[in-house]
Amino acid sequence: MAHRPPFPVGWFAVATVGEVPVGALVPLAAFGRDLAVGRAPGGRALVTDSVCPHLGADLAAGGRIDDGQVTCPLHEWCFSHDGVCVSSAGEPLPEAISLRVWPTKVVDGTVLAFNGRDGEVPAAGPPEFATGGDRKDRVEPRDGHPEDVVVDLLLAAGAADGVADGDRWSATTGDGATVVVHGPGTVEHRPVDGTVSVVYVTPVDGFVVLVRSSGLLPLPLDGAGDLSGFRDWYRRFDRSSAPRPRPVRPGRRRRAEGP
């Protein structure tokens, strides 16, 4: 099989809101990077590089977030939610220093971040869902590429033949359920009873994919089948300029795999 970039471009789930503290930044491993995630008191979630661009302090080790800015724990430099340096602890404001911030949005209690080129603005937001009920996601790490994991999920659901429509791919299963893949990392399952379950597939480090399920779609250990048409469609997201795969630090892997 031809080389596939390990970090497709698109929206990916990185946490639930219950896993992200208010007012503080904590470690997050995703897209082959050490990141930081937190929530402002007003409810906005934010995903940033974990390394402060000033002198390299770890923002996920004591960094703070409020409704206007992120504050580094080492020298108290502050960055807006857009990554612009707004305070440099009494020093002249630098023109060339900024904090990388990933576009982030909360949907149905899930924090999603857009993985793309630095500064890339997504053409559209993530898909909106209302799964209802008590959110108790099942989270499990899987070895492999996100494309292969999504194929496993489709085969398990019986969604072998589908139709592509832009960044969506949809199919109807033998029991009448509808399965829709939104972008590279979201699988929606709607059985005939009208309920909704969602599975999110997020690349962690180029070797491990984190699978987060809100409900009913089964998570097989292995899949078998072709789905070549789906794979051709999925390659539309393989334009990432992310770094080469590398294992994240052990502490980051542990947090990425959930409690």
Side-chain angles (χ1 to χ4, degrees):
M1 182 177 292
H3 169 72
R4 293 172 294 175
F7 309 109
V9 170
W11 289 96
F12 294 94
V14 295
T16 63
V17 291
E19 297 167 345
V20 181
V22 174
L25 295 170
V26 295
L28 169 69
F31 319 134
R33 298 177 181 270
D34 289 331
L35 305 176
V37 60
R39 280 194 296 151
R44 179 178 180 179
L46 199 67
V47 174
T48 76
D49 258 339
S50 68
V51 177
C52 177
H54 174 216
L55 289 177
D58 188 354
L59 295 177
R64 305 187 304 278
I65 177 173
D66 61 28
D67 287 324
Q69 63 191 25
V70 169
T71 303
C72 175
L74 185 58
H75 297 112
E76 299 290 319
W77 280 41
C78 300
F79 302 87
S80 72
H81 288 185
D82 295 325
V84 177
C85 183
V86 294
S87 174
S88 51
E91 300 180 28
L93 282 177
E95 296 182 0
I97 291 182
S98 62
L99 174 67
R100 181 170 180 183
V101 175
W102 270 253
T104 311
K105 189 171 182 179
V106 176
V107 175
D108 191 35
T110 299
V111 180
L112 294 105
F114 180 82
N115 180 52
R117 300 179 181 90
D118 191 2
E120 180 176 357
V121 177
E128 301 276 351
F129 301 105
T131 57
D134 184 18
R135 287 293 305 279
K136 294 182 179 179
D137 286 359
R138 178 170 59 172
V139 181
E140 65 173 45
R142 299 274 301 280
D143 293 335
H145 191 281
E147 176 188 322
D148 297 329
V149 175
V150 174
V151 166
D152 280 354
L153 294 170
L154 295 177
L155 292 171
D161 297 313
V163 177
D165 180 13
D167 286 350
R168 287 166 37 111
W169 185 95
S170 58
T172 301
T173 67
D175 60 4
T178 300
V179 178
V180 182
V181 182
H182 302 267
T186 304
V187 181
E188 173 191 6
H189 182 254
R190 291 181 180 266
V192 292
D193 64 6
T195 58
V196 180
S197 62
V198 181
V199 179
Y200 293 106
V201 175
T202 303
V204 176
D205 59 8
F207 304 96
V208 173
V209 174
L210 202 63
V211 180
R212 181 182 297 271
S213 172
S214 69
L216 301 176
L217 196 62
L219 303 181
L221 294 177
D222 294 289
D226 181 21
L227 280 175
S228 57
F230 171 81
R231 289 184 181 275
D232 290 341
W233 169 82
Y234 192 94
R235 303 299 166 81
R236 69 191 287 116
F237 307 110
D238 286 351
R239 55 184 179 84
S240 175
S241 59
R244 292 181 178 179
R246 60 183 178 84
V248 294
R249 296 200 296 266
R252 302 300 173 111
R253 171 74 61 80
R254 185 168 56 252
R255 183 176 292 275
E257 293 175 358

